[in-house]
Amino acid sequence: MKDIQMEPMGDQALIIRFGTVIDRTTHEKVRQFAAWLDQHPVPGMVEYIPAFTTVTIFYDPVSLYEQRKTDFSANEPIISPYEKLRLFLEAALKQLSDQPPAAGNTVEIPVLYGGEMGPDLSEVAAYHQMSEEEVIRIHSEGDYHVFMIGFAPGFPYIGGLSEKIATPRKTSPRLKIPKGSVGIAGEQTGVYSLETPGGWQIIGRTPISLFRPEHNPPSYLKAGDRVRFVPITAEEYEAYKEGEA
Amino acid sequence: MSLRVIRPGLLTTVQDGGRVGFQKHGVIVGGVMDTFAHRMANLLVGNEGSEATLEMTMKGDTWEVTEDTLLAICGADMKAIADGQPLPRWKPVWVKAGTVIQFGVSQHGARTYVAIAGGFQIPLVMNSRSTYVRAGIGGYEGRALQKGDELKADKPGPQAKKLYDFLRKQARVASFYAPDWGIASELMPRYHEQPIVRVVKGNQFDWFTRESREAFFQQAYRVSPQSDRMGYRLDGPLLERIDKSRELVSEAVTFGTVQVPAEGNPIVLLADRQTTGGYPKIAQIISVDLPLIVQTKPGDAIRFREIGHQEAERLLIEREQLIRQARLGMQLKYE
């Protein structure tokens, strides 16, 4: 892999940059390296966060420092824990092939669009001068890609929203957006995994919990998954809810 | 060893080292704000690791100790009183069943930590006992402590047991007993209302104008009332970006990240921070100085000072060595 940059983030984290703009090619590199991290031990690593264009590694500098004392001969020049990790990762990245990572799962997310569950559906329709049914059709026909999980537990950053229904955020954010709300913000679409404040245009709600603390992994989606939104009726919504409870 | 809440404080939660390992699923780390005070409290009662402690915020609770208990109080001074007598901080304290402990309003800091021998018996959620109030998980039923809550200790390890027996014998008939040794004052952080907090450059330091970068280090920032376990908002000189239209692609953030939204007031991210963020980062507080910032209160003034990355690493390793020496030194007191 070429054009990869590394820099420290404070004294216990290191950020690896695979690119600077959001695109599928850069994201494949992020996913490929994340898959490598899942398979290989990295000295001192505590955990990592993959994002759109970066992977950040959190590490324990003290354990790296102590490994240095045992692994290296006495006349080795002093190197910092960060430097030791950087050298290790540089070597690892050189060996990484350019083969794309395995495809993610395709996950269906049932959505009850409009009404009380999607209070902004009419606003989105009006903004684009189309009917609510058209917005639902375009949103549910899309082929979506999960770039990363972040912001809140299980919250997916999903790319692939049709430009035809891309809508700016609300001018004033709501104080409470219920868990499961499906929204649009600019060219992104997503699902609120917890009740939080937020400024997205809410067009529907899913009965599925995206954050499931009792499961491992606790996130319903993961980076690299393909997502399809499937319209459901109020009766189906209730049936899903009962199934989850 | 156990206690019951007679009157809850402002915000008392069960916390440990945090929910480590799940950030890639968007799960916040959480855990204690003042990792130093938490670790020292555990060390003082003979606990081996990062057992769950109670984190009290600004104003503490009143408890009845319902079984003989070995505990330690570290962090801010909440003027703890038992039987009309002040309870010492930064020391192990053996407390007899039936004793009422009353904590007041915090002075010299904002958060006080109480560890008990064995750690608090709380179910693990994703490998941690930390309370994550927003998701309602972890800790004591996923929430802050309330009146009537009962907390028990897990079985203490061999060191904690030894210390417990040692202090109980000294206590005789008194309602509590503390030895004349504890954490050495040179090891303690200097909690201050106007701390100088050391930082390394943030990942987007160069995005800010020269005037803003200078102001950030030369002037004081006040902790705003909109500050909590997730982050502190700071008021002071506004920080401007050179290119206002440039947007950061969301990437990881961490404990002590100083990020700057478009309006220009910096936010310091703390224990309950989100995993990723899209605001440029002007600075990163070094690990050893995090206790200083989490112990400030709204209205306190912070000054930032830049140091090199390798110096930050050296300070962290040195402090770790001091903590290990303290642990060994303390064990000699009762072995």
Side-chain angles (χ1 to χ4, degrees):
Chain A
M1 286 197 184
K2 292 189 198 86
D3 305 324
I4 297 169
Q5 294 188 344
M6 276 189 248
E7 63 198 53
M9 182 166 78
D11 48 29
Q12 301 196 58
L14 176 155
I15 182 161
I16 309 169
R17 302 187 182 281
F18 292 87
T20 52
V21 291
I22 301 174
D23 61 40
R24 295 282 277 262
T25 323
T26 303
H27 192 242
E28 283 199 346
K29 290 181 191 165
V30 167
R31 283 187 54 221
Q32 192 191 353
F33 186 61
W36 186 88
L37 289 174
D38 286 335
Q39 304 293 325
H40 298 81
V42 174
M45 184 169 88
V46 176
E47 63 178 314
Y48 71 88
I49 299 180
F52 288 107
T53 59
T54 58
V55 173
T56 301
I57 293 179
F58 295 84
Y59 60 91
D60 174 8
V62 179
S63 93
L64 271 163
Y65 171 77
E66 283 172 347
Q67 285 172 29
R68 191 208 78 206
K69 281 198 292 195
T70 49
D71 293 1
F72 287 64
S73 64
N75 53 10
E76 193 90 15
I78 297 272
I79 56 168
S80 77
Y82 166 78
E83 285 299 323
K84 175 165 186 192
L85 182 59
R86 190 179 63 81
L87 291 174
F88 176 90
L89 292 170
E90 255 179 16
L93 284 161
K94 271 191 197 124
Q95 287 170 13
L96 221 55
S97 73
D98 281 330
Q99 216 185 335
N105 302 324
T106 298
V107 183
E108 291 194 346
I109 296 184
V111 182
L112 176 55
Y113 286 97
E116 241 179 82
M117 302 294 189
D120 300 323
L121 180 62
S122 56
E123 194 176 320
V124 172
Y127 184 85
H128 295 284
Q129 296 176 331
M130 57 174 75
S131 67
E132 294 186 7
E133 287 69 30
E134 270 178 284
V135 175
I136 296 172
R137 183 181 57 77
I138 294 167
H139 189 260
S140 59
E141 276 178 5
D143 178 15
Y144 300 100
H145 175 81
V146 178
F147 277 103
M148 61 186 265
I149 308 292
F151 169 66
F155 183 93
Y157 285 83
I158 297 172
L161 182 72
S162 165
E163 278 171 31
K164 289 180 207 154
I165 55 170
T167 315
R169 285 175 171 81
K170 296 190 80 69
T171 44
S172 175
R174 284 193 174 89
L175 290 176
K176 270 187 185 180
I177 293 188
K179 180 182 129 178
S181 292
V182 176
I184 290 175
E187 289 176 18
Q188 293 185 82
T189 184
V191 184
Y192 279 78
S193 53
L194 285 181
E195 182 185 284
T196 60
W200 291 36
Q201 305 279 359
I202 304 304
I203 59 167
R205 199 184 301 174
T206 179
I208 302 252
S209 290
L210 264 58
F211 174 52
R212 309 172 304 163
E214 67 284 2
H215 289 71
N216 193 9
S219 178
Y220 189 71
L221 296 171
K222 63 176 190 304
D225 281 348
R226 288 178 63 189
V227 168
R228 300 193 64 83
F229 293 105
V230 181
I232 55 168
T233 63
E235 291 73 34
E236 287 170 317
Y237 183 93
E238 287 310 318
Y240 268 109
K241 269 280 177 209
E242 279 163 29
E244 275 234 327
Chain B
M1 283 183 267
S2 63
L3 49 89
R4 187 172 59 236
V5 180
I6 297 176
R7 203 181 60 223
L10 205 56
L11 173 69
T12 301
T13 54
V14 175
Q15 300 292 346
D16 61 11
R19 207 153 267 122
V20 174
F22 297 92
Q23 288 199 84
K24 62 174 157 228
H25 304 296
V27 179
I28 67 155
V29 178
V32 289
M33 289 279 269
D34 186 340
T35 49
F36 183 83
H38 161 83
R39 286 179 69 190
M40 290 303 109
N42 269 324
L43 190 155
L44 284 165
V45 296
N47 289 342
E48 306 281 319
S50 189
E51 278 85 346
T53 59
L54 290 177
E55 178 183 277
M56 294 185 281
T57 316
M58 306 292 273
K59 183 178 180 296
D61 311 3
T62 300
W63 303 326
E64 184 192 345
V65 174
T66 46
E67 287 170 20
D68 293 356
T69 295
L70 168 59
L71 56 79
I73 304 165
C74 291
D77 187 359
M78 288 190 179
K79 301 282 173 207
I81 289 173
D83 269 0
Q85 300 285 321
L87 274 174
R89 284 182 304 150
W90 307 99
K91 281 184 176 189
V93 189
W94 184 89
V95 187
K96 194 178 175 144
T99 306
V100 171
I101 303 181
Q102 193 182 339
F103 292 88
V105 174
S106 67
Q107 300 176 22
H108 311 295
R111 291 159 225 280
T112 303
Y113 294 82
V114 177
I116 61 174
F120 288 97
Q121 200 182 87
I122 294 286
L124 284 168
V125 177
M126 285 181 269
N127 269 337
S128 166
R129 297 182 170 85
S130 288
T131 315
Y132 178 19
V133 174
R134 183 169 289 224
I137 60 168
Y140 196 99
E141 296 174 4
R143 58 164 172 80
L145 293 190
Q146 293 173 2
K147 186 181 172 178
D149 287 351
E150 297 206 8
L151 292 121
K152 280 189 173 308
D154 262 327
K155 196 175 173 314
Q159 290 295 343
K161 186 83 185 57
K162 227 181 264 179
L163 181 56
Y164 176 92
D165 291 336
F166 175 81
L167 293 175
R168 190 190 51 188
K169 274 181 213 142
Q170 314 273 331
R172 298 165 192 259
V173 292
S175 53
F176 69 87
Y177 174 78
D180 57 2
W181 48 267
I183 300 294
S185 58
E186 62 265 27
L187 200 58
M188 283 183 217
R190 295 198 170 77
Y191 301 141
H192 201 285
E193 281 148 22
Q194 295 176 322
I196 292 171
V197 174
R198 290 167 293 182
V199 301
V200 293
K201 280 194 181 84
N203 298 87
Q204 288 79 35
F205 184 76
D206 295 342
W207 287 32
F208 294 89
T209 63
R210 220 184 95 172
E211 295 74 30
S212 292
R213 286 183 274 177
E214 283 173 8
F216 181 73
F217 290 116
Q218 280 165 9
Q219 298 188 46
Y221 279 89
R222 213 160 269 287
V223 177
S224 99
Q226 282 136 31
S227 295
D228 56 19
R229 282 181 43 88
M230 189 172 175
Y232 276 16
R233 283 171 186 271
L234 305 180
D235 293 326
L238 293 181
L239 302 171
E240 281 184 38
R241 300 176 206 178
I242 296 168
D243 178 356
K244 289 188 177 59
S245 63
R246 189 170 180 188
E247 291 272 346
L248 179 68
V249 177
S250 286
E251 59 184 43
V253 293
T254 190
F255 204 154
T257 297
V258 187
Q259 62 175 21
V260 186
E263 36 86 7
N265 279 312
I267 299 172
V268 184
L269 299 175
L270 302 172
D272 281 355
R273 67 200 177 271
Q274 68 275 28
T275 55
T276 56
Y279 297 129
K281 305 183 262 293
I282 192 167
Q284 174 68 42
I285 297 174
I286 67 168
S287 296
V288 298
D289 279 358
L290 289 172
L292 298 181
I293 192 145
V294 300
Q295 290 288 2
T296 58
K297 301 175 189 178
D300 288 354
I302 294 162
R303 280 175 189 276
F304 294 105
R305 210 186 88 204
E306 189 191 345
I307 65 164
H309 181 259
Q310 294 214 359
E311 191 182 353
E313 290 187 307
R314 185 180 58 78
L315 289 166
L316 178 56
I317 290 162
E318 277 174 9
R319 194 195 57 176
E320 206 57 38
Q321 287 167 339
L322 283 172
I323 292 173
R324 282 184 200 180
Q325 282 165 18
R327 179 185 293 279
L328 291 172
M330 230 162 288
Q331 284 171 5
L332 292 173
K333 301 278 186 192
Y334 56 90
E335 291 216 322

